[in-house]
């Protein structure tokens, strides 16, 4: 590699493209002129390395040394980069260090491990527990118990076939009878249901099709990052998005190694921060991918008081038990217990084995004589009380696994001496692991790492993938990075957040819609209006529910009606698919692994007859009556996102009004240019072009200052000043505003100078601007300081 790399270039704005066979590099290249005209500085590409054939997302990598052929291969990527450069754009690429696809027929490294076992040079790549399962990799691929599937296991030369699966045979075993042949392999094909308790490799969350990669090993890091580093070194790629660093054994060490290898290129990490949690200061990154920004932007347009009233109406309508969707904290706790004992049972077993080993071999007698069940219980009780995704090696585990949580965890034990297991587990997490020469050093390091990895998987599965589908009073708050138990963000809290971002992480990413959001920003913006009219919403639902029978359950009905309200004109197939995913994730009446056909059929029938049937027309009419307030939230969300501190990432198609539900609905290719651009397109382009034209007003050395309106409706105007050069002003809670009599004589004191309305050329303001005039044409305003001497069209305060 060359020694003189260009310095890190911080994007002014990025545009996310979901690459897939239906939208390859060539399609992205064709869209470059349009995307450049928007005003972004970089294209943000989903994973580009070789993935499972047909993959629509690319996170199931099979070969990190090759650019994906289905997308156009390396030449296609280089051609895209050249065209992007010609139009002034760079490339940011999403990379996946945590896992690869468990697809041996496509994953050469994994194939060799299954063929040669732990002696394979690739064995160190994968996080496999060779001490378990008699030293064989469990492969949960069979459709039933082995006896019922044996006729489908066919030896074909030097491979073993099972339907679409192909596995290598260990040398010299092809001629053995099937039972002996299976016993002679370095792997064990089993019924897929055994994965829950018997699996002996680390997964991505609970997805057995994705196997964990040991990038903490320097050789594995080098092998799996060589192609990406080459593309960075040769200027094809400019920056990186890091997928799921929480799954790594040592995120601190990984990010430090990556920072050195890339020469400090602009890098953001997909880190979900809990409310009040901050990104580790030691991480050499520009910041997060932006889910913390999403929570704050959404919260601005949510009426906190109305959200709690909506919760009361929801409880009365659905009558859920407190721990099954009626109370947020109780719902999360119940979901966490369920995930630990079901989806993550094998991960908990592995962690328990390390704890047992540490205690049994410890020279400290206080750790001896600890029953495995007690250590497992202590681990479970501490894990379910985690309020963040995981502790980090560079942080203080005692601040994450708190003594207060430990005190609660002890209540799970009847015998006081057995409750001591909680303190022992916490001690193993909090105490430094000692020097490398200590006999238990390796086990202590492994215990801390696996606890952190299990904690992050638990948080994701129990909160994002379970509780978010059980606790549904307001669907717009059940979003990645969100906190449904604390809906709404005050202007003061929003300003404090923005000031902190500008000070500490000015190059961080910000988002409002991604490939992982459960509902796009425009759907959530519409749903937030319901917090301004909770009584009207509950009354409407009571009416449409009375007129339509066959409701499967109250929680599902409440979520279904909100879904079609947020989506607007409802396409039955999209709503049906999203709601079937909803009920399976919730896991209360059906699930992905135990599907209850009668219940799912009832859901399908309800969607067709209710939300997407004649009663749905009443909800459509209700939404139409609220259109001005939905518009205010949609435009306000977009403008705040595009002008607040950080680097905004515009998800594909969201420059236009974009209504999408959970994946795969939100990963569909979109047309370029948009078929029918509207006012949101104009706003997005104006804001992005302003950022490109005035980078000093928004960049890492910019300033952020709140502006406070004065008058009877001051709380409904959210405004801020960027570096004394740009002002953003938006309307919040516009329905409440209208009911209170409008803006009246509310004014916004502007900094000295003349300010031109970027969204309406010819309009200018100065002094104390009347907010009613400021928002005369639209519920938002974007002002730019203009040179002295320009006097036409001035509105004086």
């Amino acid at each position: 590699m060359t020694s003189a790399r260009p310095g890190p270039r911080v994007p002014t704005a990025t545009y996310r493209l979901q690459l897939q066979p239906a939208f390859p590099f060539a399609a992205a290249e064709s869209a470059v002129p349009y995307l450049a005209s928007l005003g972004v500085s970089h294209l943000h590409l989903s994973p580009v390395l070789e993935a499972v054939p047909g993959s629509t997302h690319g996170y199931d990598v099979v070969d990190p040394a090759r650019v994906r052929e289905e997308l156009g291969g390396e030449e296609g990527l280089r051609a895209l980069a050249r065209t992007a450069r010609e139009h002034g754009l760079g490339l940011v690429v999403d990379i996946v260090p945590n896992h690869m696809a468990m697809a041996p027929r496509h994953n050469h490294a994994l194939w060799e491990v299954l063929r040669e076992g732990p002696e394979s040079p690739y064995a160190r790549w994968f996080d496999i527990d060779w001490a378990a399962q008699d030293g064989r990799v469990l492969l949960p691929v069979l459709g039933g118990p082995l006896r019922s599937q044996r006729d489908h296991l066919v030896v074909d030369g030097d491979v073993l076939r099972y339907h679409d699966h192909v596995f290598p045979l260990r040398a010299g075993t092809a001629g053995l009878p099937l039972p002996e042949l299976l016993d002679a392999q370095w792997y064990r094909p089993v019924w897929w249901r055994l994965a829950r308790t018997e699996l002996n490799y680390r997964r991505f969350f609970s997805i057995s099709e994705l196997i964990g990669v040991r990038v903490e090993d320097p050789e594995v890091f080098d092998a799996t990052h060589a192609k990406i580093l080459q593309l960075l070194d040769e200027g094809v790629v400019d920056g990186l998005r890091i997928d799921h660093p929480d799954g790594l054994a040592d995120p601190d060490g990984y990010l430090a190694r990556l920072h050195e290898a890339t020469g400090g290129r602009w890098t953001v990490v997909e880190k979900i921060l809990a409310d009040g949690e901050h990104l580790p200061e030691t991480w050499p990154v520009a910041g997060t991918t932006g889910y913390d920004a999403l929570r704050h932007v959404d919260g601005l347009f949510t009426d906190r008081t109305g959200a709690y009233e909506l919760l009361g109406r929801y409880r009365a309508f659905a009558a859920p038990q407190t721990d099954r969707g009626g109370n947020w904290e109780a719902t999360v706790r119940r979901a966490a217990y369920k995930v630990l004992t079901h989806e993550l049972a094998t991960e908990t077993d592995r962690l328990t084995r390390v704890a047992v080993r540490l205690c049994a071999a410890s020279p400290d007698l206080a750790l001896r004589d600890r029953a495995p069940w007690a250590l497992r219980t202590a681990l479970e009780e501490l894990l379910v009380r985690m309020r963040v995704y995981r502790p980090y090696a560079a942080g203080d585990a005692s601040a994450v696994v708190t003594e207060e949580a430990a005190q609660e965890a002890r209540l799970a034990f009847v015998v006081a001496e057995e409750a001591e297991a909680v303190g022992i587990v916490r001690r193993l997490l909090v105490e430094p692991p000692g020097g490398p020469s200590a006999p238990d050093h390796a086990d202590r390091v492994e215990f801390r790492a696996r606890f952190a990895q299990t904690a992050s998987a638990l948080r994701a599965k129990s909160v994002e993938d379970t509780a978010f589908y059980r606790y549904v009073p307001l669907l717009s708050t059940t979003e990645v990075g969100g906190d449904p138990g604390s809906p709404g963000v005050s202007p003061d809290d929003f300003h404090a957040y923005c000031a902190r971002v500008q000070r500490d992480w000015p190059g961080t990413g910000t988002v409002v819609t991604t490939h992982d959001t459960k509902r796009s920003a425009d759907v959530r913006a519409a749903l937030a209006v319901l917090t301004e009219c909770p009584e009207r919403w509950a009354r409407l639902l009571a009416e449409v529910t009375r007129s339509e029978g066959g409701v499967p359950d109250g929680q599902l009905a409440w979520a279904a009606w909100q879904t079609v309200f947020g989506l607007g004109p409802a396409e039955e197939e999209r709503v049906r698919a999203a709601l079937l995913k909803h009920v399976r994730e919730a896991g209360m009446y059906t699930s992905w692994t135990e599907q209850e056909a009668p219940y799912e059929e009832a859901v399908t029938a309800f969607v067709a007859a209710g939300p997407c049937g004649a009663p749905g027309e009443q909800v459509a009419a209700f939404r139409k009556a609220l259109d001005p307030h939905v518009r205010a939230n949609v435009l306000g969300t977009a403008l705040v996102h595009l002008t607040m501190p950080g680097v905004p990432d515009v998800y594909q198609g969201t420059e236009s009004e974009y209504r999408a539900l959970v994946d795969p609905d939100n990963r569909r290719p979109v047309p370029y240019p948009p078929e029918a651009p509207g006012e949101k397109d104009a706003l997005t382009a104006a804001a992005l072009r302003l950022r490109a034209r005035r980078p000093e007003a928004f960049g890492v050395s910019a300033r952020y200052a709140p502006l406070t309106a004065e008058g009877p409706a001051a709380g409904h105007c959210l405004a801020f000043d960027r570096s004394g050069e740009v002002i953003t002003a938006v309307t919040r809670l516009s329905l409440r505003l209208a009911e209170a009599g409008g803006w009246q004589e509310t004014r916004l004191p502007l900094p000295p100078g003349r300010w031109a309305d970027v969204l309406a050329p010819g309009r200018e303001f100065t002094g104390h601007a009347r907010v009613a005039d400021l928002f005369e044409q639209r519920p938002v305003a974007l002002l730019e300081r203009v040179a002295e001497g320009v006097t036409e069209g001035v509105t004086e305060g």
Side-chain angles (χ1 to χ4, degrees):
M1 294 186 180
T2 61
S3 58
R5 291 193 180 97
R9 177 188 172 195
V10 178
T12 61
T14 60
Y15 190 99
R16 169 77 177 206
L17 292 171
Q18 281 299 111
L19 300 168
Q20 52 185 293
F23 190 85
F25 296 134
E29 187 178 357
S30 296
V32 163
Y34 162 72
L35 296 175
S37 73
L38 278 181
V40 298
S41 64
H42 289 69
L43 304 183
H44 171 194
L45 307 181
S46 59
V48 300
L49 300 180
E50 196 64 66
V52 171
S55 173
T56 59
H57 51 78
Y59 291 94
D60 44 2
V61 174
V62 295
D63 187 353
R66 290 191 297 132
V67 176
R68 189 175 177 187
E69 289 298 331
E70 283 185 301
L71 301 181
E74 186 164 336
E75 182 48 46
L77 175 60
R78 290 178 180 272
L80 170 59
R82 287 192 297 270
T83 300
R85 293 268 185 280
E86 291 168 2
H87 288 79
L89 303 180
L91 300 184
V92 172
V93 169
D94 197 341
I95 66 170
V96 192
N98 177 68
H99 53 266
M100 292 175 66
M102 174 51 94
R105 67 184 299 183
H106 305 297
N107 187 334
H108 171 73
L110 184 60
W111 180 275
E112 292 302 305
V113 172
L114 296 183
R115 187 169 66 88
E116 299 180 4
E119 298 306 314
S120 166
Y122 293 103
R124 65 194 305 162
W125 280 36
F126 303 105
D127 194 352
I128 298 169
D129 184 4
W130 292 101
Q133 295 296 331
D134 296 323
R136 296 194 292 161
V137 182
L138 197 83
L139 299 181
V141 297
L142 302 185
L146 179 59
R147 184 179 63 179
S148 68
Q149 302 298 306
R150 62 174 298 158
D151 291 343
H152 301 289
L153 290 162
V154 179
V155 176
D156 182 7
D158 59 354
V159 302
L160 177 68
R161 297 185 182 275
Y162 176 75
H163 296 299
D164 292 336
H165 296 282
V166 183
F167 307 106
L169 292 178
R170 193 172 175 179
T173 65
L176 295 174
L178 186 63
E180 289 88 343
L181 179 142
L182 293 177
D183 290 343
Q185 304 311 314
W186 289 111
Y187 54 87
R188 179 184 164 210
V190 299
W191 187 19
W192 64 269
R193 299 189 72 89
L194 271 65
R196 182 170 66 84
T197 56
E198 309 301 318
L199 205 67
N200 62 333
Y201 59 84
R202 181 172 60 83
R203 302 171 286 180
F204 172 65
F205 299 160
S206 60
I207 303 174
S208 300
E209 292 79 10
L210 297 172
I211 183 171
V213 176
R214 298 181 61 254
V215 290
E216 63 272 20
D217 184 315
E219 290 186 25
V220 178
F221 175 93
D222 292 342
T224 55
H225 287 67
K227 176 55 65 178
I228 284 294
L229 293 176
Q230 177 196 356
L231 295 171
L232 281 164
D233 193 62
E234 295 177 7
V236 178
V237 171
D238 301 287
L240 300 175
R241 173 201 185 267
I242 310 302
D243 181 70
H244 189 50
D246 278 345
L248 304 179
D250 180 16
D252 301 61
Y254 169 78
L255 293 171
R257 187 176 290 116
L258 183 68
H259 179 75
E260 181 179 1
T262 67
R265 299 301 184 90
W266 184 80
T267 299
V268 290
V269 290
E270 186 201 23
K271 170 62 192 151
I272 311 298
L273 296 170
D275 191 16
E277 183 186 12
H278 300 297
L279 196 65
E281 295 180 0
T282 56
W283 283 9
V285 298
T288 73
T289 55
Y291 286 114
D292 44 319
L294 181 153
R295 180 175 71 246
H296 284 84
V297 175
D298 275 5
L300 265 183
F301 300 95
T302 301
D303 185 325
R304 179 184 287 268
T305 300
Y308 285 120
E309 184 180 343
L310 198 64
L311 171 60
R313 302 280 179 176
Y314 158 70
R315 287 172 175 165
F317 179 90
Q321 295 171 280
T322 57
D323 62 350
R324 289 172 66 86
N327 175 277
W328 172 242
E329 294 295 338
T331 299
V332 170
R333 184 70 56 84
R334 182 185 178 97
Y337 278 120
K338 182 254 184 184
V339 169
L340 268 184
T341 55
H342 289 74
E343 290 98 319
L344 297 180
T346 186
E347 285 77 9
T348 311
D349 281 346
R350 188 171 182 181
L351 185 56
T352 302
R353 289 199 300 273
V354 181
V356 169
R357 196 162 64 233
L358 274 168
C359 290
S362 175
D364 185 346
L365 296 182
L367 272 65
R368 300 282 187 91
D369 293 337
R370 299 299 166 184
W373 75 263
L375 292 170
R376 182 187 181 107
T377 300
L379 282 164
E380 290 176 346
E381 295 297 326
L382 288 173
L383 282 165
V384 299
R385 287 169 173 80
M386 293 276 289
R387 294 183 176 273
V388 297
Y389 274 67
R390 61 170 285 171
Y392 297 95
D396 182 5
S398 63
V400 174
V401 187
T402 64
E403 179 53 42
E404 290 78 8
Q407 193 62 38
E408 280 187 32
R410 292 183 182 98
L411 299 177
F413 295 85
V414 176
V415 178
E417 289 82 1
E418 290 173 338
E420 291 175 1
V422 174
I424 288 171
V425 168
R426 184 170 185 270
R427 175 180 161 187
L428 293 174
L429 292 170
V430 171
E431 285 183 352
S437 61
D440 63 351
H441 173 78
D443 280 342
R444 280 182 171 253
V445 170
E446 181 181 3
F447 182 72
R448 289 159 65 100
R450 294 208 181 281
F451 181 90
Q453 290 170 309
T454 304
S456 69
L458 172 63
R459 188 75 180 172
K461 291 300 298 179
S462 61
V463 177
E464 293 177 35
D465 293 346
T466 305
F468 277 2
Y469 292 97
R470 293 182 176 184
Y471 182 84
V472 295
L474 179 60
L475 292 180
S476 59
T477 63
T478 56
E479 192 50 83
V480 184
D483 184 4
S486 181
V489 171
S490 71
D492 286 346
D493 286 345
F494 178 80
H495 289 313
Y497 167 78
C498 287
R500 187 170 63 250
V501 168
Q502 186 63 53
R503 181 191 67 218
D504 298 338
W505 302 97
T508 190
T510 65
V511 295
V512 290
T513 300
T514 76
H515 63 289
D516 279 333
T517 45
K518 301 184 188 302
R519 294 157 198 91
S520 64
D522 293 344
V523 172
R524 300 196 310 274
L527 288 167
V529 176
L530 298 180
T531 64
E532 301 178 65
C533 54
E535 183 178 359
R536 292 167 60 186
W537 175 249
R539 204 163 51 237
L540 174 65
L541 258 60
E543 183 178 341
V544 296
T545 303
R546 277 196 302 269
S547 66
E548 202 286 308
V551 177
D553 64 90
Q555 283 167 282
L556 181 276
W558 185 276
W561 290 113
Q562 281 201 17
T563 297
V564 296
F565 176 88
L567 194 59
E571 298 175 28
E572 183 178 334
E573 175 55 31
R574 294 173 64 197
V575 174
R576 183 193 66 81
L579 289 175
L580 282 176
K581 180 168 184 172
H582 182 112
V583 296
R584 289 170 183 169
E585 295 283 18
M588 292 192 293
Y589 304 101
T590 186
S591 70
W592 292 107
T593 55
E594 286 89 24
Q595 293 179 19
E596 291 291 334
Y599 178 79
E600 295 193 1
E601 289 166 4
V603 171
T604 298
F606 167 68
V607 168
C612 295
E617 295 175 7
Q618 294 175 259
V619 174
F622 182 64
R623 169 164 172 146
K624 186 171 182 58
L626 296 174
D627 271 351
H629 312 293
V630 173
R631 173 180 177 245
N633 282 3
V634 166
L635 297 180
T637 295
L639 186 57
V640 169
H641 171 227
L642 295 172
T643 56
M644 68 187 291
V647 178
D649 184 48
V650 179
Y651 187 66
Q652 60 178 27
T654 59
E655 68 272 23
S656 304
E657 191 163 1
Y658 180 81
R659 304 177 191 178
L661 302 177
V662 69
D663 67 275
D665 188 66
N666 61 5
R667 299 181 183 181
R668 297 171 298 160
V670 298
Y672 295 112
E675 295 170 347
E679 66 175 343
K680 187 185 175 190
D681 298 76
L683 179 150
T684 301
L688 290 172
R689 290 165 187 166
L690 179 61
R691 289 187 72 101
R693 190 171 73 249
R694 304 290 295 271
E696 74 288 347
F698 297 96
V700 295
S701 60
R703 300 189 308 278
Y704 176 92
L707 296 178
T708 303
E710 300 170 348
H716 292 280
C717 177
L718 184 285
F720 51 83
D721 170 10
R722 302 307 316 274
S723 305
E725 300 296 331
V726 175
I727 291 172
T728 290
V730 301
T731 304
R732 57 186 301 270
L733 311 183
S734 64
L735 178 55
R736 298 286 199 203
L737 171 67
E739 292 172 342
W743 292 112
Q744 303 174 57
E745 289 305 311
T746 303
R747 292 177 178 268
L748 181 66
L750 303 177
R754 298 190 182 280
W755 297 88
D757 188 344
V758 177
L759 303 178
R763 300 179 74 228
E764 293 184 4
F765 299 87
T766 185
H768 284 55
R770 292 182 71 248
V771 176
D773 294 336
L774 193 65
F775 294 145
E776 180 182 14
Q777 297 185 9
R778 57 184 59 80
V780 300
L782 178 61
L783 307 180
E784 180 182 14
R785 183 189 292 278
V786 296
E788 292 300 324
V790 180
T791 58
E792 301 86 356
V794 174
T795 301
E796 296 287 352

